[in-house]
Amino acid sequence: AAAAYAALELVGGWLGRRKASIRASAPPSGWPLALMIAVGIGLHNFSEGLAIGAAFALGQAAFGSLLIIGFTLHNATEGLAIISPIAKEKPGIGGLLQLGFIGGVPTIIGAWVGGLVYSPVAAVMFLGLGVGAILQVVVQILSQMSRERPLAQRLAEAPIALALLAGFGVMYLTGMLLV
């Protein structure tokens, strides 16, 4: 707990210095928003890493591998969310690497922590945090989908219905492979 607090304090201090330097620089940009999104996604990804590590710590290598594949697929789109506020600004490779580091490295740290804790209770808690992270994404997507039209109408559209059926099919097949 103390290490997590210290890490959050370090990130908070870094964000404060970054905010001050951004305000002192030229015209306003999308960098503060991109940075906040990267930090939020990093925290989200930390819990996913905990779930991956916990699966391996429980001896469930197939489940851990499936989590890695699933989280990788949905994390691929998170990079777009991070860079969208700065897309018109032509960001440099250094800035993109920093944002990617902030958003992605917590997954690795979470996997290490989750894999090194040999407690069944902690493993269940870590897996629960991973489920919560995915549930957060699902709730956000469903709320975005229902803004224009009722959700039932959106889910009945052919491309969305086919994507859902394909997703359920892939889940079924991978479930069969794991058993």
Side-chain angles (χ1 to χ4, degrees):
Y5 176 76
L8 288 174
E9 282 296 320
L10 285 171
V11 170
W14 180 78
L15 288 174
R17 289 188 303 278
R18 178 98 172 128
K19 181 179 177 182
S21 70
I22 288 171
R23 283 187 177 165
S25 65
S29 72
W31 279 97
L33 179 58
L35 184 60
M36 287 189 293
I37 292 170
V39 169
I41 287 176
L43 292 172
H44 166 90
N45 287 345
F46 180 74
S47 63
E48 292 175 353
L50 288 173
I52 291 168
F56 282 103
L58 291 173
Q60 299 294 322
F63 180 53
S65 299
L66 184 64
L67 287 175
I68 290 171
I69 293 167
F71 289 146
T72 300
L73 289 173
H74 102 263
N75 285 350
T77 61
E78 291 175 351
L80 297 173
I82 293 172
I83 66 165
S84 63
I86 57 171
K88 292 181 180 178
E89 298 176 28
K90 308 269 191 230
I93 191 74
L96 293 177
L97 287 174
Q98 284 180 341
L99 292 171
F101 183 83
I102 292 167
V105 169
T107 310
I108 298 166
I109 296 169
W112 284 341
V113 170
L116 294 175
V117 175
Y118 295 108
S119 164
V121 174
V124 169
M125 184 179 75
F126 294 162
L127 289 168
L129 286 171
V131 168
I134 292 298
L135 186 60
Q136 172 198 16
V137 172
V138 169
V139 167
Q140 288 298 319
I141 290 172
L142 291 177
S143 71
Q144 290 292 324
M145 288 176 64
S146 65
R147 283 190 179 168
E148 296 173 13
R149 285 181 279 168
L151 186 58
Q153 286 180 351
R154 292 297 306 256
L155 294 176
E157 293 175 4
I160 294 174
L162 289 173
L164 283 171
L165 288 174
F168 291 141
V170 169
M171 286 183 353
Y172 178 77
L173 291 174
T174 54
M176 295 301 291
L177 293 173
L178 292 175
V179 175

